[in-house]
Amino acid sequence: MRIAIIYLIGRVITTGLFAGAAQLSTASSRYGERPRLGTLLMGWDAQWYWYIAVHGYPSSLPLDEAGQVTQNQWAFMPVYPYLARLLGGTGIGWQVAAILISLVSGYLAALVLYLLLRPRIGAIASMWAVVFFANAPLAAMFQVAYAESLFLLMLFAALWLVARRRYAWLYPLVLLMAFTRPGALAFALFLALHGIVRWVRRRDERLRPSEVVHIVLNGLLAAIAGFAWPVIAAAVTGRADAYMATELSWRRGWITGDDGSFAPFRGFWDAAAFWFGQWGLGATAGYIALGALVVLIAALLLFGPRVRRLGTDVRLWSASYLLYLFAVFFPQSSVFRLLLPLSPLWGAAAVPRSRTWRCGVLAACVVGQWWWIYNMYALGNTFWQIP
């Protein structure tokens, strides 16, 4: 009940922030002057999900005048839009169904997050982690028509099953995650690292043969499922690089003269030069900052005492997902949203028992939430204001 109350209060706060953003929206915003609340909730990628639910995926890729692939539905996975279409078919409509899925999934994700963290940091700290999660700077994702809430629910449930050593229940979650949001390859890496740790520690914790089989099979399933969507896109469109070309079509909007090729870790490397060039600091400073960021994150995950309190599995998942992002993503304003799968790390912020500290973190979360909603929805008219 307490988690339900915390989550409900968080949604009231977020709704108030959206209402304020709507009032501050001007004619220069992509939403126009004082848009309706529903207009904001159905903005940005929500329109892609709606289009998929109505029209499906194209059998031929759209091209610009230069013959390059332009933005299209293949960048988005099918579980969320089709689930919303199924629920919307009951008479409530796609838009209501999509937002309802996000709301309910967010609440259930908060419940599972509490269960995941409680054995490691205790009930009180875990409840505070839920408070931070429900009011986080990106908490708006819990009530817009995006797939993030649904993916987080599946991810937290999968991490909880791994922590409880219930590997046999993972198979359906692995498949569903792979077709809800990108990230299955990160989960495959996590399971590989988890299996190695369990093997090394097998004298301290018995490792049954059946557990080895389930860990290996789930890891293979996650890897296969992680590559399945590009294969499906290629089969439907008849173009082998359909998915990659679609994803890279978004990156061309950031880097002029991009050659349209992909190489692991190139996105962050190019972005370091791009962003620091935009800020007038130069590419070399960007590369140095990128290296310092990698070292800092590694140090926190390996040696940070508060992070270590969360347990090996949360740290392994965080490292796996961050490595995945470094390998495939070009960081821009959407990077904040893509960090949501690291939400179990809120437990580290909740560990200190100081009420002043916890209230300060909560206040920072709400302020960050307003900053994000205001920029992405009230303004939303420059290249760095894309959620």
Side-chain angles (χ1 to χ4, degrees):
M1 179 60 71
R2 282 192 295 177
I3 292 177
I5 294 172
I6 290 169
Y7 186 76
L8 179 61
I9 292 174
R11 303 291 59 75
V12 171
I13 291 172
T14 301
T15 301
L17 297 178
F18 265 122
Q23 290 299 308
L24 294 174
S25 180
T26 66
S28 62
S29 167
R30 66 184 283 116
Y31 298 103
E33 188 173 359
R34 295 186 178 182
R36 295 179 179 179
L37 182 61
T39 301
L40 298 184
L41 302 185
M42 292 301 301
W44 295 108
D45 287 357
Q47 291 298 302
W48 283 109
Y49 287 119
W50 169 82
Y51 197 82
I52 291 168
V54 174
H55 301 286
Y57 293 89
S59 58
S60 59
L61 297 177
L63 305 176
D64 60 18
E65 295 179 356
Q68 293 181 310
V69 175
T70 60
Q71 299 173 3
N72 64 85
Q73 302 96 293
W74 284 109
F76 304 90
M77 306 301 184
V79 169
Y80 177 75
Y82 287 151
L83 178 61
R85 185 175 74 175
L86 180 64
L87 182 59
T90 61
I92 62 176
W94 189 90
Q95 290 85 352
V96 174
I99 293 173
L100 185 61
I101 291 171
S102 293
L103 280 169
V104 174
S105 296
Y107 167 63
L108 294 176
L111 281 175
V112 181
L113 179 63
Y114 175 80
L115 295 175
L116 174 66
L117 295 177
R118 185 177 61 182
R120 303 297 310 184
I121 61 175
I124 295 177
S126 298
M127 193 65 69
W128 272 101
V130 169
V131 172
F132 300 154
F133 175 70
N135 295 278
L138 271 293
M141 288 293 105
F142 301 140
Q143 53 199 85
V144 298
Y146 273 58
E148 267 67 17
S149 288
L150 185 60
F151 181 79
L152 289 179
L153 171 59
M154 297 174 186
L155 171 63
F156 295 171
L159 292 175
W160 179 78
L161 288 172
V162 170
R164 297 293 299 270
R165 310 302 190 236
R166 298 181 179 179
Y167 305 110
W169 294 88
L170 278 176
Y171 296 103
L173 281 176
V174 167
L175 276 176
L176 287 171
M177 280 195 297
F179 293 99
T180 300
R181 287 277 305 145
L185 294 178
F187 198 78
L189 175 59
F190 159 69
L191 285 177
L193 296 175
H194 170 82
I196 292 171
V197 170
R198 291 235 33 209
W199 176 261
V200 171
R201 297 177 178 176
R202 64 189 183 279
R203 292 184 178 180
D204 300 322
E205 180 186 2
R206 182 186 175 191
L207 181 60
R208 299 179 178 86
S210 61
E211 292 179 325
V212 174
V213 171
H214 286 309
I215 292 172
V216 171
L217 290 181
N218 272 295
L220 290 174
L221 178 62
I224 294 171
F227 287 109
W229 190 242
V231 173
I232 293 171
V236 173
T237 63
R239 178 167 172 164
D241 67 340
Y243 176 74
M244 189 60 65
T246 296
E247 288 287 0
L248 293 176
S249 69
W250 263 268
R251 194 174 74 179
R252 284 200 304 272
W254 297 87
I255 298 183
T256 303
D258 182 75
D259 61 7
S261 63
F262 170 80
F265 304 104
R266 177 183 169 183
F268 266 81
W269 183 261
D270 289 347
F274 171 79
W275 284 110
F276 276 76
Q278 291 287 317
W279 299 331
L281 300 175
T284 301
Y287 299 144
I288 294 173
L290 177 60
L293 177 64
V294 171
V295 172
L296 176 61
I297 291 174
L300 287 174
L301 292 178
L302 288 172
F303 307 114
R306 296 175 184 175
V307 178
R308 290 174 66 89
R309 287 276 305 274
L310 304 180
T312 301
D313 288 330
V314 168
R315 293 159 63 208
L316 288 178
W317 160 251
S318 301
S320 299
Y321 185 71
L322 284 170
L323 182 62
Y324 168 78
L325 283 186
F326 276 125
V328 305
F329 185 61
F330 177 88
Q332 26 85 0
S333 55
S334 295
V335 72
F336 301 109
R337 173 169 56 86
L338 296 184
L339 293 176
L340 276 172
L342 299 175
S343 292
L345 293 177
W346 281 119
V351 166
R353 296 183 178 181
S354 168
R355 180 173 296 180
T356 301
W357 165 265
R358 287 169 171 169
C359 291
V361 172
L362 176 58
C365 284
V366 176
V367 171
Q369 189 178 165
W370 165 246
W371 178 89
W372 192 82
I373 291 174
Y374 175 72
N375 277 280
M376 304 302 165
Y377 289 92
L379 301 180
N381 56 2
T382 66
F383 69 97
W384 59 271
Q385 293 166 329
I386 303 172

